[in-house]
Amino acid sequence: MTEILGGTAFFDRTYDEAIALLHEARNYIAFQEPRDVQDFDSDARLLVSQETLRITCRMTQVMAWLFGQRAVHRGEITRAEALHPDYAVGGQAVCLDDAHARDPRLPPAVADLLDRSHRLYERVVRLDRQIRETAA
């Protein structure tokens, strides 16, 4: 795995980036989003809710995959076990959909979190694909 992920430093940077983005998204959703949408009509509130759920879905998939890869790196599971479909990045139909990412009704913080979570998710999907193709 180390050679595929470009070494421990690369993995650690990706992991740290994901943790930081996860905390940022959590804090936004818990504390700022209610203030941002208080004057929105019901359609706009629904849109924001939908897109923050998409961010949550992306981050859940990214973290699950990173935890699996970390388990391989630490020797807690084998590389072969990590290749099981249960360890693959899931949710692609929802997580890769960015049809509403540039909707002007979205608060700037949501648009930013959508963009960054989308880019991170895409990167993890590529890494997962690369690991699986290399192992085949």
Side-chain angles (χ1 to χ4, degrees):
M1 180 197 67
T2 300
E3 59 277 357
I4 294 170
L5 289 179
T8 304
F10 175 79
F11 178 80
D12 287 345
R13 280 192 309 270
T14 302
Y15 183 85
D16 291 346
E17 176 187 352
I19 288 290
L21 187 55
L22 180 66
H23 284 125
E24 186 179 341
R26 183 252 179 226
N27 288 337
Y28 175 79
I29 292 166
F31 304 113
Q32 186 61 42
E33 178 188 357
R35 289 184 284 215
D36 285 352
V37 301
Q38 67 187 2
D39 295 328
F40 285 16
D41 64 33
S42 60
D43 286 343
R45 280 196 309 274
L46 180 62
L47 173 67
V48 172
S49 179
Q50 169 186 297
E51 295 309 310
T52 56
L53 284 171
R54 189 178 319 279
I55 293 164
T56 301
C57 183
R58 286 174 182 159
M59 296 310 301
T60 300
Q61 292 297 322
V62 164
M63 293 310 302
W65 186 84
L66 287 168
F67 287 147
Q69 296 306 311
R70 179 166 268 189
V72 171
H73 180 71
R74 291 181 173 176
E76 296 167 359
I77 64 173
T78 66
R79 184 178 297 187
E81 289 172 307
L83 292 172
H84 189 277
D86 288 347
Y87 287 94
V89 181
Q92 293 184 21
V94 171
C95 295
L96 291 175
D97 182 356
D98 66 350
H100 301 287
R102 289 167 234 350
D103 191 302
R105 296 174 294 172
L106 291 174
V110 173
D112 179 57
L113 288 167
L114 279 168
D115 178 57
R116 291 188 293 143
S117 66
H118 188 260
R119 285 186 282 128
L120 179 61
Y121 181 84
E122 285 182 319
R123 185 174 352 135
V124 167
V125 166
R126 282 191 304 271
L127 288 169
D128 185 49
R129 187 178 309 123
Q130 184 180 7
I131 288 170
R132 291 172 188 288
E133 288 172 356
T134 302

